[in-house]
Amino acid sequence: MAGRRVNVNVGVLGHIDSGKTALARALSTTASTAAFDKQPQSRERGITLDLGFSCFCVPLPAHLRPAPAAQRGPGPEPRLQVTLVDCPGHASLIRTIIGGAQIIDLMMLVIDVTKGMQTQSAECLVIGQIACRKLIVVLNKTDLLPEGKRQAAIDRMAKKMQRTLENTKFRGAPVIPVAAKPGGPDAPETEAPQGIPELIKLLVSQISIPTRDPSGPFLMSVDHCFSIKGQGTVMTGTILSGSVSLGDSVEIPALKVVRKVKSMQMFHTPVSSAVQGDRLGICVTQFDPKLLERGLVCAPESLHTVHAALISVEKIPYFRGPLQTKAKFHITVGHETVMGRVMFFSPAPDSLDREPVLDSFDFSREYLFQEQYLCPAPAEADEAEATEKAGQASAGRCPRQQWALVEFEKPVTCPRLCLVIGSRLDADIHANTCRLAFHGVLLHGLGDRDYAESALPALRVYKLKQKHGVVERVLDDHSVIGRSLFKKETNIQLFVGLRVHLSTGELGVIDSAFGQSGKFKVHIPGGLSPESKKILTSALKKRGRAGRGEAAKPEEAERLEPAQPVGLSLSFKRYVFDAHKRMVQSP
Ligand SMILES: Nc1nc2c(ncn2[C@@H]2O[C@H](COP(=O)(O)OP(=O)(O)OP(=O)(O)O)[C@@H](O)[C@H]2O)c(=O)[nH]1
Ligand SMILES: [Mg+2]
């Protein structure tokens, strides 16, 4: 029996033509069926269209070996299997790249040393920050640098990359030069790559194996599917969670079918079980492989199909422009990308500082509707630019967590708490801008097609509304008539009982409509103060005088005339999903 193998997935990401496939080829000794641009279209266009998988093995390094006590007696040397996930570079394939990034433990960012950071290198770095823990920057094509100045140019680019990483979570990550295919496409195959042994050494030293957890529901991301005559249908992919054994039933949720696992292989070797992190081919009883190119296979009934979701959101700082409520984004949910419309909301003002919660959504709390995602107010220096952008949190008080309701154009099938990325894939790919707009975690999926009626009323997101009017006249010490707060057609009955503040300081309560023109009666429980009465009655007198032509002493009219009318302000909450559109008193 072969010795123990520990698998780790390493992503190869970078701008188009930086040499990712050439690097994967140089690194690999064993190629799986799908590696190295074997697709005919891929060969024709000279670009990678799909994830490519290949691997190489090295002795398991000391830092990854279990403690001596845990080791079983003498046996074959344990091996580390490094599975390389060669991602496409072309901008149009970013969904594939995001899918690839979610199954890797470490990311190699390939940079063409003669070009430096390019648009998709930056996007890959953003994706890496969201989905990966570790990074190595590989400066490729060093053979293209003039020999005499090569080292200096490499050092300069390495410094530049370090500076770029400075503001990311990969600060201080290693940068290493190579030439994966010296001489380029026309160079003879005998031309040996340069710097590969050093890169392997660095990779192996940087790899740490995340704890693989065999518990939890089985979930595998499938990247290829084909049938073998007389045996069944084979799906190859990476196990994202849980484990699988021979004879288990697995579900292909996209096709709504359940199949039995007949056999399994890991890199051409039959196995009887596999766990999270393993790369695997499983053969199940026949189904048409054409129906499933990409997708998920899972333990029966462990995934949910959702029509909308509540997600925790964080804006990607490189995305230019605001994130608007009602805007449409491409939303990658787990391993699917669909269009979705978003509505942003923040904590109620009294809970801005609450610790972010990333594993559930609290329906018992109230939330404040936002026209757009709130960004921290920028430093003074950026003020000019900042004033253009609305949606800044007032006085630098930015909530620690914000959310969005995402409504999908078509339902998506995804695991619990999966990664969500919102992007603007329709943006011009040559515009040199980051198309990735926000990321987050799916906290709560709405599985009912009629979620708008069945589930959303429980979501207590409110808009804070303010209305302003004026006191028209005093009825008595405890009541006034107001106007200009409502439109003529407003049903004032809905507002009865809500508090209004008079600009003179008194508190009133809307009592009833008054006449047909949107006027209303306000009851003032504490009574009008003598000063207020003076201001109001003097205004009344003036009106009266004009109306009835009564003579008043000119000096009195001057003295008592209020500088401004007495205002009435009403603030109330309206819950966005309240079917009855009730107004609720706000503090
Ligand atoms: N001179 C030189 N050319 C290289 C090197 N590595 C790759 N190339 C060439 O660069 C071109 C692109 O290489 P690929 O490996 O296909 O690049 P890629 O990053 O996989 O491209 P996409 O997958 O389409 O994004 C090919 O013509 C390679 O021969 C290198 O180290 N030196
Ligand atoms: Mg490629």
Side-chain angles (χ1 to χ4, degrees):
M1 192 190 144
R4 194 166 72 92
R5 267 196 198 193
V6 176
N7 181 67
V8 61
N9 288 345
V10 171
V12 191
L13 287 89
H15 194 80
I16 189 161
D17 262 357
S18 53
K20 300 175 289 297
T21 303
L23 182 66
R25 196 190 298 256
L27 280 167
S28 306
T29 51
T30 322
S32 79
T33 48
F36 307 140
D37 295 352
K38 278 197 176 157
Q39 276 191 343
Q41 306 97 300
S42 205
R43 286 234 184 108
E44 256 164 49
R45 295 176 59 187
I47 63 170
T48 302
L49 294 175
D50 206 340
L51 300 179
F53 292 90
S54 56
C55 82
F56 65 88
C57 277
V58 292
L60 193 65
H63 74 275
L64 296 179
R65 291 188 186 217
Q71 272 179 354
R72 278 183 259 130
E77 274 287 293
R79 314 269 291 163
L80 175 68
Q81 169 179 285
V82 179
T83 297
L84 298 167
V85 184
D86 175 19
C87 292
H90 195 274
S92 61
L93 301 168
I94 195 156
R95 303 161 201 223
T96 310
I97 303 170
I98 296 174
Q102 287 183 76
I103 58 170
I104 64 179
D105 302 304
L106 180 148
M107 170 168 150
M108 282 198 283
L109 180 63
V110 184
I111 303 283
D112 181 334
V113 72
T114 65
K115 306 225 167 96
M117 281 292 277
Q118 291 171 278
T119 312
Q120 271 71 57
S121 345
E123 284 187 344
C124 290
L125 197 53
V126 170
I127 296 169
Q129 289 198 76
I130 297 166
C132 307
R133 297 177 310 129
K134 280 203 161 179
L135 177 88
I136 293 180
V137 177
V138 181
L139 302 178
N140 189 30
K141 307 197 183 184
T142 52
D143 59 297
L144 294 178
L145 300 167
E147 215 163 320
K149 300 176 185 161
R150 188 169 296 165
Q151 196 52 50
I154 291 172
D155 292 346
R156 251 199 325 275
M157 187 55 79
K159 278 223 179 76
K160 222 168 155 179
M161 289 307 303
Q162 295 287 13
R163 272 202 302 277
T164 305
L165 297 184
E166 200 64 14
N167 298 319
T168 73
K169 78 172 191 192
F170 301 123
R171 182 180 187 169
V175 182
I176 184 168
V178 301
K181 180 101 179 72
D186 303 325
E189 287 297 321
T190 47
E191 187 89 43
Q194 296 157 15
I196 302 302
E198 291 80 358
L199 174 56
I200 291 181
K201 209 168 147 206
L202 176 67
L203 256 180
V204 170
S205 74
Q206 289 292 311
I207 283 167
S208 58
I209 311 245
T211 324
R212 306 297 195 193
D213 181 6
S215 68
F218 167 67
L219 178 67
M220 173 165 142
S221 145
V222 175
D223 39 69
H224 292 284
C225 191
F226 53 92
S227 61
I228 300 182
K229 245 204 164 114
Q231 294 202 28
T233 303
V234 175
M235 297 176 281
T236 64
T238 300
I239 302 184
L240 300 171
S241 80
S243 62
V244 63
S245 302
L246 282 180
D248 282 357
S249 289
V250 295
E251 179 183 338
I252 300 130
L255 309 180
K256 301 207 166 30
V257 297
V258 173
R259 290 286 184 271
K260 250 198 169 66
V261 178
K262 293 174 69 182
S263 65
M264 303 197 289
Q265 284 197 351
M266 270 156 71
F267 281 97
H268 310 303
T269 313
V271 292
S272 57
S273 70
V275 297
Q276 186 183 44
D278 285 335
R279 249 201 84 67
L280 184 71
I282 35 181
C283 180
V284 299
T285 39
Q286 200 78 42
F287 70 88
D288 182 0
K290 285 197 204 80
L291 298 176
L292 184 80
E293 269 183 46
R294 256 307 130 78
L296 296 170
V297 49
C298 61
E301 295 184 17
S302 60
L303 293 190
H304 305 284
T305 298
V306 301
H307 296 264
L310 295 167
I311 65 170
S312 174
V313 203
E314 242 178 272
K315 185 177 182 210
I316 290 167
Y318 310 102
F319 184 79
R320 296 208 196 123
L323 303 180
Q324 300 272 16
T325 279
K326 285 202 187 135
K328 279 187 181 177
F329 288 89
H330 287 86
I331 314 272
T332 306
V333 188
H335 294 257
E336 275 187 73
T337 301
V338 293
M339 290 304 288
R341 192 184 288 280
V342 293
M343 181 196 88
F344 295 102
F345 55 96
S346 65
D350 59 350
S351 27
L352 289 185
D353 295 325
R354 262 190 96 225
E355 239 355 88
V357 179
L358 293 172
D359 60 0
S360 62
F361 184 81
D362 190 347
F363 278 95
S364 71
R365 290 187 167 267
E366 298 210 335
Y367 301 90
L368 187 57
F369 170 90
Q370 296 292 349
E371 290 291 349
Q372 54 182 255
Y373 180 90
L374 296 174
C375 297
E380 306 256 324
D382 305 325
E383 203 120 40
E385 193 195 341
T387 38
E388 286 173 28
K389 303 182 207 151
Q392 279 147 18
S394 55
R397 293 264 295 148
C398 206
R400 293 182 61 190
Q401 184 171 20
Q402 295 181 60
W403 299 266
L405 165 71
V406 190
E407 305 189 71
F408 302 114
E409 277 189 358
K410 50 179 202 215
V412 285
T413 299
C414 57
R416 232 179 82 74
L417 300 179
C418 65
L419 175 67
V420 180
I421 295 182
S423 39
R424 268 282 158 73
L425 300 184
D426 48 342
D428 180 6
I429 57 174
H430 304 295
N432 193 25
T433 58
C434 178
R435 294 171 297 162
L436 304 160
F438 62 84
H439 68 98
V441 182
L442 189 144
L443 299 176
H444 185 91
L446 304 173
D448 183 357
R449 189 181 299 274
D450 299 320
Y451 64 89
E453 284 85 46
S454 62
L456 288 186
L459 177 61
R460 297 199 296 152
V461 174
Y462 66 85
K463 291 182 180 179
L464 212 45
K465 300 263 188 181
Q466 288 237 322
K467 285 181 176 287
H468 299 282
V470 287
V471 174
E472 189 181 83
R473 61 191 164 93
V474 176
L475 278 186
D476 55 50
D477 283 0
H478 285 88
S479 42
V480 298
I481 299 298
R483 63 172 169 90
S484 306
L485 193 83
F486 302 116
K487 292 198 192 96
K488 195 171 162 230
E489 57 278 11
T490 308
N491 178 6
I492 294 175
Q493 203 51 41
L494 294 172
F495 294 86
V496 166
L498 294 186
R499 289 193 295 269
V500 285
H501 288 273
L502 275 70
S503 58
T504 42
E506 290 88 345
L507 185 74
V509 178
I510 298 178
D511 187 75
S512 59
F514 186 82
Q516 302 299 316
S517 55
K519 292 184 191 175
F520 53 98
K521 190 172 151 192
V522 177
H523 173 65
I524 299 162
L528 285 169
S529 73
E531 298 84 68
S532 305
K533 243 168 56 190
K534 228 185 236 169
I535 296 172
L536 286 163
T537 47
S538 77
L540 187 67
K541 258 187 202 159
K542 202 177 165 230
R543 282 176 150 250
R545 181 190 57 155
R548 274 177 264 140
E550 270 174 23
K553 285 179 202 152
E555 66 275 24
E556 189 186 84
E558 230 166 64
R559 181 165 51 82
L560 292 175
E561 171 120 44
Q564 281 188 330
V566 173
L568 281 172
S569 64
L570 166 65
S571 50
F572 60 94
K573 297 178 186 175
R574 191 175 233 171
Y575 292 86
V576 177
F577 300 109
D578 176 11
H580 307 290
K581 306 254 174 276
R582 272 177 296 239
M583 312 330 137
V584 179
Q585 185 69 60
S586 70

